[in-house]
Every structure is written in C-alpha cells, then in structure tokens.
Amino acid sequence: QQQTNSAFLVNFGGDIYVNKSRSNGDAWQVAIEDPQHLGESKLMVSLAQGGLASSGDSQRYIEVDGQRYGHILNPKTGYPITGGPAQVTVYAQNCVQAGMLATIALLQGEFAEDFLKAQDCRYWLSD
C-alpha cells in the first residue's frame, strides 16, 4: 500500500492545523476574523506548519441588561474576564497548544500580552 505525503490544512471549528507548505511550496494563507465585524478578515497569516487558534467573545457570549459578557470565566470569581483583549490568536506547534495559550492569555485580562510575550510565541490581539 502506497502512502502519500500530501500537504493539508484542517479547520477544527476555527482552529487551523497545517502539516506542511502547499504542494507548490507556498505557505497557506489563513484569514483572522475581525471580532468587531464578523465575516470580515482583520488580517492574513501565512502558515507553513503548525496550529493557529483564536479565543475571544465574538462568537460565545451572553448579554445581560445590555452588558456583554464573554464565555471565559475567571476561575477565582466565577465571573467573566474583563479588561483584556476581545480576541487573542496564537500560533504554536499544534492546535491544542495554540488554543491553550489563547485561552490562558484571555484569563490574564489586562496582562494578556505580558503573558504571551513570556511564552515567546507568535500572537495577535484584537480589541
């Protein structure tokens, strides 16, 4: 049985994994959605290999008395995180690592970027 080693991109519900560059050698181009304008791209990222994940409140939230609350809760208080970016996107070796870093960064609130800098990873923040 012959195995192929084709390049592929998989979208795991918004988390992206790329095994290697496309067959023509070019990196995959992935759009990061603008959390303020759903359906529109905020920027394009080139991926040759690895995972890309975003975490934020643009898709999962609740409104109470006109106030919007994100779905990521502070484990110490049980209330939604406030004071941080609206969305964090992280590039890592795989989707699990990227998703973990993006969500943990949001849990840092206003210190999200400090946390990501300490992780020495590629990231993008949106307000």
Side-chain angles (χ1 to χ4, degrees), residues 40-52:
E40 294 181 23
S41 299
K42 184 171 182 85
L43 63 103
M44 296 293 285
V45 176
S46 295
L47 292 180
Q49 182 184 18
L52 188 71

Side-chain angles (χ1 to χ4, degrees), residues 73-110:
L73 305 178
N74 181 330
K76 293 178 182 176
T77 67
Y79 288 94
I81 299 297
T82 59
Q87 177 176 289
V88 174
T89 301
V90 175
Y91 166 79
Q93 291 181 339
N94 56 59
C95 291
V96 172
Q97 185 180 18
M100 176 189 68
L101 289 171
T103 301
I104 292 173
L106 281 179
L107 285 168
Q108 306 305 308
E110 64 185 272

Side-chain angles (χ1 to χ4, degrees), residues 2-48:
Q2 184 179 17
Q3 257 186 320
T4 61
N5 195 9
S6 299
F8 62 82
L9 178 148
V10 179
N11 181 341
F12 296 103
D15 293 356
I16 306 293
Y17 177 75
V18 171
N19 72 327
K20 65 180 185 177
S21 296
R22 297 169 49 198
S23 58
N24 65 2
D26 291 343
W28 298 85
Q29 300 301 306
V30 178
I32 296 176
E33 187 174 51
D34 183 341
Q36 303 302 323
H37 302 97
L38 299 181
E40 294 181 23
S41 299
K42 184 171 182 85
L43 63 103
M44 296 293 285
V45 176
S46 295
L47 292 180

